[in-house]
Amino acid sequence: RTPPAAFKNYYSEEEKPEFWRQQARAVLRLALDRKLNTNVAKNIVLFVGDGMGITTVTAARILKGQLQNRTGEETIMNMDTFPYVGLVKVYAVDFQIPDSAATATAYLCGVKANLNTVGLSAAGRNGACRSQKGNEVTSILKWAKDAGKSVGIVTTTRVQHATPAAAYAHSASRKWYCDTDMPAAAKAQGCRDIAAQLLSNTDIDVIIGGGRKYMTPKGTRDPEYPLDPSARGRRSDGRNLISEWQHTKGGKVARYVWNRTDFDAVDPATTDYLLALFEPGDLRYELERDLSMDPPLSDTTEKAIRILQKNPKGFFLLVEGGRIDQGHHASRASMALHETVELDNAVGRALELTGDGDTLTMVTADHSHSFTFNGFPFRGNSILGRRPSLRLDMMPYTTLMYGNGPGHKIVNNKRPDIRGVDTESKDYIQQAAVPTESETHGGEDVAVLARGPMAHLFHGVQEQSYIPHALAFAACIGDDQRLWANPLRHRAPLFTFTFTFIHLADTFLQSDFQ
């Protein structure tokens, strides 16, 4: 096949064996020169792509390159530069394929949990308030706060959604966003809604996302959409949690903002606390975002870091690209992939603001989707495009498809003819094999990528619940901080490993005889 003119340079260079040999030598040289970074992680930045399975990462990499007028496949994303990579198993205790609540509890709290439960061990049951008591588990965000660090949450969903909720809340149902969402029996038994716990459980320095309507009394008009009934406050208890948040920060500079103008005016140097809620519910998709009202994830990540990094003891920041998942559920691959590209932009921004010497940065996902990258499209073919040739049913198909979802359509025993259809549109729904109202999660392992102090702890194939324990160990916080008290910790990696192994063995033997 004659390569497209725009890509001819790629093809001509790649035809030469020396092109690939030099590339391999350069990577090999980096690997051989790499020294283990055994510093204490003063800061931790944890990026989570909700629903960002490996197929999504690959497709987003190609899209990012193609948005820059390249073929795309050879693109290097910011997350691709992380030297340490592993896989984690994402199953829940009760389900083979998990949801975002159970997985967030695993990678934030360090224990596997049941579907739909947040911040509870697997003894907590979905929707059963009585099962909460005594089964609460805390997250690495709280461990960091207890160690004197500043902490923050940045998300593109509502701040009460499953992923951010697991950082601060304990709930038998991820859907108990506010008290109106809870059954009367649960409230009578003493369970509290997630929005209320956002204020009471942990003192969080920076909170950025959506979710205004869960914070205000029922019927409260939204400042941005005053005529939209669905945007109004939903709380039945009459509490205005935004006002309460402001009143609890006496003596500190605490800013609440709901639009980009006010957000941009926030000075990180003089701000102690920031609560930014840009939408009544989830934020708009990146492709539909109102540039004048809502900042992109890369900007909100930067603001959070600049506020948090003033603490001499360091910080922990959770950044979630939450609408990747929602784009996939709608089988709108364009939406999901553009959200992933913006998450990678946020990763790049964070790397510019921090250093590998004292900041452990990680990128991972909570779970995957039934998302496939298939066929034999030519190099440089639009990742959102069609495979050029027809198949047995004499109909073309797109490179990206879903195993199930709303895109399943059979007319007269045939798939729809998509010739002439703009499959790159943000609204295009990819075809699916099985009809479901909403496309489902996938259950395969997801990647974890790390760089900075102790990043080499993320290796091989591990349980998802391993993540916060390794992060805490690297930062010398939580239950594992005692392992770093010994001065051998700052010596050669072999000494560090030997000391750690001996200590762990001793701990195991002691517990065996108690």
Side-chain angles (χ1 to χ4, degrees):
R1 175 178 179 248
T2 303
F7 303 148
K8 197 164 284 186
N9 288 338
Y10 286 116
Y11 282 85
S12 60
E13 287 300 309
E14 292 175 1
E15 288 174 352
K16 302 172 184 177
E18 193 58 24
F19 172 86
W20 302 106
R21 290 168 181 160
Q22 288 181 356
Q23 186 182 91
R25 290 187 197 111
V27 176
L28 183 59
R29 194 173 297 114
L30 285 173
L32 291 171
D33 291 343
R34 183 174 297 124
K35 302 294 190 294
L36 292 185
N37 182 344
T38 59
N39 295 342
V40 172
K42 175 183 175 183
N43 312 310
I44 298 173
V45 184
L46 172 57
F47 287 93
V48 177
D50 196 319
M52 189 181 70
I54 292 176
T55 302
T56 300
V57 173
T58 304
R61 177 188 301 124
I62 295 172
L63 175 63
K64 188 166 188 175
Q66 292 180 345
L67 290 172
Q68 300 166 351
N69 296 317
R70 300 202 302 267
T71 56
E73 295 84 359
E74 72 295 328
T75 302
I76 299 175
M77 296 211 293
N78 292 303
M79 65 180 78
D80 292 340
T81 65
F82 287 38
Y84 298 99
V85 182
L87 295 173
V88 292
K89 298 180 281 186
V90 301
Y91 65 90
V93 170
D94 57 345
F95 276 78
Q96 196 171 64
I97 294 180
D99 75 323
S100 296
T103 52
T105 301
Y107 64 75
L108 290 173
C109 303
V111 300
K112 289 263 183 174
N114 292 323
L115 210 72
N116 292 326
T117 63
V118 173
L120 302 177
S121 71
R125 300 291 189 263
N126 178 22
C129 172
R130 291 187 186 278
S131 69
Q132 283 189 203
K133 189 173 181 180
N135 296 317
E136 300 89 350
V137 289
T138 57
S139 76
I140 186 170
L141 179 139
K142 187 176 189 309
W143 308 343
K145 189 68 179 184
D146 289 345
K149 297 181 184 294
S150 294
V151 296
I153 293 171
V154 176
T155 181
T156 55
T157 66
R158 68 205 83 172
V159 297
Q160 304 86 1
H161 210 252
T163 298
Y168 61 83
H170 314 286
S171 180
S173 174
R174 59 176 286 182
K175 297 180 181 178
W176 292 348
Y177 301 123
C178 73
D179 63 323
T180 305
D181 300 318
M182 299 178 65
K187 287 187 277 189
Q189 292 163 13
C191 285
R192 295 177 300 146
D193 63 276
I194 293 171
Q197 293 185 60
L198 177 61
L199 269 65
S200 62
N201 286 4
T202 303
D203 184 28
I204 304 174
D205 302 89
V206 175
I207 304 167
I208 303 176
R212 290 193 296 254
K213 64 183 179 182
Y214 304 108
M215 307 286 280
T216 56
K218 186 173 286 188
T220 302
R221 288 179 180 268
D222 186 80
E224 188 174 359
Y225 312 103
L227 302 181
D228 183 357
S230 67
R232 293 176 183 170
R234 300 191 67 244
R235 299 197 65 83
S236 301
D237 58 9
R239 295 176 65 184
N240 187 320
L241 299 182
I242 295 172
S243 298
E244 290 185 23
W245 178 86
Q246 293 171 312
H247 293 153
T248 62
K249 308 304 179 188
K252 299 288 185 178
V253 178
R255 296 289 305 277
Y256 166 68
V257 300
W258 59 268
N259 60 71
R260 184 166 191 171
T261 300
D262 291 344
F263 176 79
D264 290 344
V266 171
D267 182 2
T270 59
T271 301
D272 299 310
Y273 290 92
L274 174 62
L275 174 62
L277 303 177
F278 294 110
E279 290 288 334
D282 299 325
L283 271 59
R284 294 180 181 272
Y285 284 110
E286 180 63 20
L287 286 176
E288 297 176 339
R289 184 167 49 82
D290 184 341
L291 298 176
S292 67
M293 293 299 294
D294 302 333
L297 185 62
S298 49
D299 285 0
T300 54
T301 298
E302 176 175 351
K303 185 81 75 173
I305 290 175
R306 291 193 182 280
I307 292 173
L308 298 174
Q309 67 186 182
K310 300 195 304 290
N311 187 336
K313 292 186 177 180
F315 66 86
F316 170 85
L317 176 63
L318 169 66
V319 180
E320 182 200 20
R323 301 221 68 185
I324 299 170
D325 176 73
Q326 294 174 0
H328 280 317
H329 280 307
S331 293
R332 298 165 73 185
S334 178
M335 289 297 201
L337 297 187
H338 279 86
E339 293 293 309
T340 308
V341 169
E342 179 54 25
L343 176 67
D344 191 61
N345 293 339
V347 172
R349 190 73 62 85
L351 295 179
E352 293 172 2
L353 296 167
T354 59
D356 288 352
D358 64 358
T359 302
L360 174 56
T361 307
M362 173 185 289
V363 180
T364 189
D366 49 358
H367 54 73
S368 183
H369 277 266
S370 68
F371 187 48
T372 64
F373 182 8
N374 67 117
F376 292 96
F378 291 119
R379 174 77 179 276
N381 195 64
S382 169
I383 191 62
L384 294 167
R386 294 179 291 271
R387 190 185 184 285
S389 60
L390 305 179
R391 305 321 295 159
L392 293 177
D393 60 2
M394 300 306 293
M395 294 290 181
Y397 62 95
T398 52
T399 302
L400 303 175
M401 303 176 75
Y402 291 92
N404 61 62
H408 176 88
K409 292 180 177 64
I410 300 295
V411 180
N412 295 327
N413 228 21
K414 277 191 173 183
R415 293 183 300 116
D417 187 349
I418 58 173
R419 286 173 289 196
V421 175
D422 182 8
T423 61
E424 298 183 37
S425 164
K426 67 181 179 63
D427 297 316
Y428 178 71
I429 296 175
Q430 263 72 15
Q431 293 180 358
V434 176
T436 58
E437 183 179 356
S438 174
E439 181 270 344
T440 71
H441 296 168
E444 72 270 22
D445 299 350
V446 297
V448 53
L449 306 96
R451 62 184 292 169
M454 303 305 291
H456 55 280
L457 294 177
F458 299 96
H459 64 284
V461 181
Q462 311 293 347
E463 294 288 357
Q464 196 170 36
S465 51
Y466 167 77
I467 290 175
H469 296 288
L471 291 175
F473 186 86
C476 191
I477 60 176
D479 291 339
D480 294 325
Q481 60 182 311
R482 64 186 182 279
L483 297 178
W484 293 114
N486 194 295
L488 289 176
R489 185 253 175 273
H490 295 289
R491 297 187 183 178
L494 179 59
F495 254 133
T496 302
F497 173 80
T498 303
F499 165 68
T500 303
F501 176 81
I502 293 172
H503 187 103
L504 289 172
D506 182 59
T507 302
F508 173 80
L509 290 173
Q510 287 184 38
S511 63
D512 192 49
F513 291 104
Q514 288 177 351

